[in-house]
Amino acid sequence: MCGPDSGQGDAAGTDCSEVLHRVYEYLDGEMTRDDTAKIAHHLEACSPCLKQYDLDQALKALVKRSCACEEAPVELRTQIMARITTIRYEISE
């Protein structure tokens, strides 16, 4: 079964866990053309991943709207990035 809970889906030849792990790279346009196409193809075929992508996209837009007028201090940005890295590491174990 493909989807975020299974982590083993193979819609369009890409594992769901890879798609969900890299969704913000995809949203930010930080992927190679081939990786972007691979993720887009997976999202077209896997509705659970597409649903999670839609949630992540909405969250990103909300944060952008809420924080557009202010830039976070360098110290805060560093702490947030360290925390995200820790969370990603914990999830991948």
Side-chain angles (χ1 to χ4, degrees):
M1 174 181 197
C2 182
D5 294 331
S6 71
Q8 300 299 317
D10 194 30
T14 306
D15 188 274
C16 293
S17 63
E18 178 186 355
V19 171
L20 297 177
H21 178 74
R22 300 187 69 196
V23 71
Y24 281 100
E25 287 177 75
Y26 179 78
L27 281 167
D28 293 340
E30 297 174 344
M31 302 179 111
T32 65
R33 187 182 312 232
D34 289 342
D35 285 345
T36 298
K38 188 167 76 170
I39 299 296
H41 193 65
H42 179 95
L43 292 173
E44 290 173 5
C46 181
S47 61
C49 286
L50 180 60
K51 182 177 180 181
Q52 184 62 45
Y53 165 78
D54 288 343
L55 289 172
D56 290 339
Q57 187 176 36
L59 175 62
K60 183 176 173 158
L62 176 65
V63 170
K64 184 176 182 177
R65 275 196 316 269
S66 299
C67 303
C69 59
E70 296 181 37
E71 187 169 317
V74 174
E75 303 84 30
L76 177 60
R77 293 174 66 143
T78 302
Q79 290 174 357
I80 291 170
M81 291 306 296
R83 184 68 180 143
I84 289 171
T85 301
T86 301
I87 291 170
R88 282 187 176 174
Y89 177 74
E90 290 171 1
I91 290 172
S92 66
E93 286 184 341

